[in-house]
Amino acid sequence: MKSDDRLLFFALDGVGGAERVMVTVAKQLLKRGRSITFVLIRNSQFSGASLETLLPSGVECRRIFWDGQIKFMRDLKKAVETVNPAVVFSSAMHINQRLLLLKPFFRDVKFIVRNDNYLYTLPPLKRLCLKLTYRFAECVIAQTEEMGAEVSMFVDAEKVHVLDNPIDEELIESKLRAPSPFADGDDSIKFVASGRFAYQKGFDILVEAFDMVRKRLPSPKLYILGNYEYDNRKVYDMLREYVDRNGLRDCVIFAGYTDNPFAYIKHADVFVLSSRWEGCPNVVLEAKYVGTPVAAARCIPVIGRLIDEGRTGCLAESENPRSLAEAMIKATSLEHGEGGKGVAVNNPKWIELFNR
């Protein structure tokens, strides 16, 4: 018999923003007595950190491997049949469209999907697949008003819910107790960026901007956090070549993956977002929560609403290294906030969506 308390979350087996949102939601639901199973989807060639390291106690964890489309669809169907949940939830668009193809087999199961990015960032065929499959969902979560309007063009508007990404306050507060990751006595001006080493994140724009910054500020340093094995190291190798060619090796630090980026953000002078596009960047919300000034490219409209220009950060033109450099320099003059101030409390509608 189906249990109304049983929830099934399908997530990529990594520690990206979409996956961390799912963990944060799961923690809130666990406190309300829900039973949650995570199915972690892993590519056999992926070597990054596993999402399992972030899952709270009390969550059942299973894995399936993406080894061909037909087998993958069978594994998805078998997972739903085995867990027999009241609600299925996914937060990656290429997983969403495949799960929703199974909806006709599970008419009494509620399917909730969340867009992890804008549709315009996808190739035409993938956009078409989403438009055809999203009509099967009971709920579609959009991260911003603009994303919600985009989805509402082909999904009934009453199904679309615009919800800010939740913030894992307990996790952040526990991580902020750690000491500074920077060396004692290092009085350099410290910029920190964080994310996958992917074209989307604009780290090439960032290091070019930093090259301009270091000519105008005394002894600045740039720390880039993240797994640089992503995308077969293509982005990392390109960045390393630029750093070496321009004599930046001593002041651009590729710190690798860390399970505590919050300590870096807290003790930095400025957090930098250089992305070409985002859904709604968790790292900006988290930097605001920590209280660190942000220099951010206006890669999507919501950035201008998240940052209070001249108070919580400084804005730059998208894909413009010179503009980003100016924002980084201006942001160094801003005071750190108290932390947690001005950041919205997690929206209770997140929990309401999972009620039958």
Side-chain angles (χ1 to χ4, degrees), residues 132-192:
L132 293 175
T133 56
Y134 266 36
R135 61 193 177 92
F136 295 124
E138 276 80 13
C139 298
V140 179
I141 299 171
Q143 300 179 56
T144 68
E145 294 291 345
E146 293 82 9
M147 190 182 292
E150 188 182 50
V151 174
S152 295
M153 293 177 67
F154 59 90
V155 174
D156 290 341
E158 63 268 19
K159 289 185 176 184
V160 180
H161 301 263
V162 177
L163 297 176
D164 295 335
N165 291 341
I167 295 174
D168 193 337
E169 297 174 88
E170 292 181 5
L171 173 66
I172 295 175
E173 291 294 343
S174 68
K175 296 292 188 180
L176 290 179
R177 299 188 192 107
S180 170
F182 305 119
D184 291 340
D186 181 359
D187 59 356
S188 63
I189 298 172
K190 301 174 186 68
F191 297 91
V192 168

Side-chain angles (χ1 to χ4, degrees), residues 89-335:
F89 178 42
S90 171
S91 189
M93 291 188 288
H94 60 294
I95 304 300
N96 297 347
Q97 66 186 41
R98 290 167 173 83
L99 275 173
L100 289 171
L101 288 173
L102 300 177
K103 174 61 179 177
F105 297 99
F106 304 99
R107 296 187 181 278
D108 60 342
V109 178
K110 184 177 183 179
F111 279 66
I112 299 175
V113 295
R114 171 183 172 272
N115 262 26
D116 56 337
N117 227 309
Y118 290 85
L119 269 69
Y120 72 79
T121 65
L122 301 177
L125 181 58
K126 290 186 177 181
R127 288 202 300 270
L128 177 61
C129 290
L130 286 173
K131 290 177 180 180
L132 293 175
T133 56
Y134 266 36
R135 61 193 177 92
F136 295 124
E138 276 80 13
C139 298
V140 179
I141 299 171
Q143 300 179 56
T144 68
E145 294 291 345
E146 293 82 9
M147 190 182 292
E150 188 182 50
V151 174
S152 295
M153 293 177 67
F154 59 90
V155 174
D156 290 341
E158 63 268 19
K159 289 185 176 184
V160 180
H161 301 263
V162 177
L163 297 176
D164 295 335
N165 291 341
I167 295 174
D168 193 337
E169 297 174 88
E170 292 181 5
L171 173 66
I172 295 175
E173 291 294 343
S174 68
K175 296 292 188 180
L176 290 179
R177 299 188 192 107
S180 170
F182 305 119
D184 291 340
D186 181 359
D187 59 356
S188 63
I189 298 172
K190 301 174 186 68
F191 297 91
V192 168
S194 178
R196 295 175 289 113
F197 274 60
Y199 175 78
Q200 171 193 348
K201 299 302 180 181
F203 289 155
D204 55 322
I205 300 168
L206 174 60
V207 293
E208 186 176 346
F210 179 76
D211 197 11
M212 301 176 193
V213 168
R214 69 166 181 141
K215 296 169 183 174
R216 295 174 54 186
L217 292 181
S219 63
K221 289 182 180 177
L222 170 63
Y223 293 80
I224 304 180
L225 315 178
N227 177 17
Y228 40 75
E229 299 294 334
Y230 187 83
D231 198 21
N232 296 319
R233 295 174 64 105
K234 292 178 185 175
V235 172
Y236 171 74
D237 289 342
M238 177 188 66
L239 294 173
R240 172 58 72 188
E241 191 276 332
Y242 183 95
V243 165
D244 290 344
R245 176 163 39 89
N246 290 277
L248 298 171
R249 183 180 283 270
D250 292 336
C251 51
V252 174
I253 297 93
F254 299 107
Y257 170 76
T258 174
D259 65 357
N260 189 2
F262 311 107
Y264 280 88
I265 295 171
K266 175 184 177 180
H267 294 281
D269 294 282
V270 177
F271 179 82
V272 188
L273 181 84
S274 56
S275 300
R276 289 179 164 89
W277 69 86
E278 287 283 349
C280 181
N282 291 332
V283 286
V284 170
L285 297 172
E286 291 161 350
K288 283 185 63 178
Y289 181 89
V290 172
T292 300
V294 177
R298 291 179 181 265
C299 55
I300 51 174
V302 74
I303 300 294
R305 302 195 291 270
L306 293 177
I307 302 300
D308 185 352
E309 177 75 42
R311 193 174 71 84
T312 61
C314 297
L315 297 167
E317 296 174 15
S318 182
E319 298 195 58
N320 186 324
R322 188 170 300 280
S323 180
L324 183 60
E326 290 294 336
M328 292 166 69
I329 292 168
K330 290 177 182 177
T332 60
S333 66
L334 301 181
E335 302 253 342

Side-chain angles (χ1 to χ4, degrees), residues 9-24 38-42 46 48-56 59 61 63 257:
F9 285 25
F10 287 90
L12 297 177
D13 193 8
V15 291
E19 292 71 47
R20 292 194 295 118
V21 164
M22 297 184 77
V23 172
T24 303
F38 265 79
V39 173
L40 303 184
I41 299 164
R42 195 171 187 89
F46 180 71
S50 172
L51 186 63
E52 188 172 7
T53 61
L54 299 183
L55 295 182
V59 168
C61 180
R63 270 191 181 82
Y257 170 76

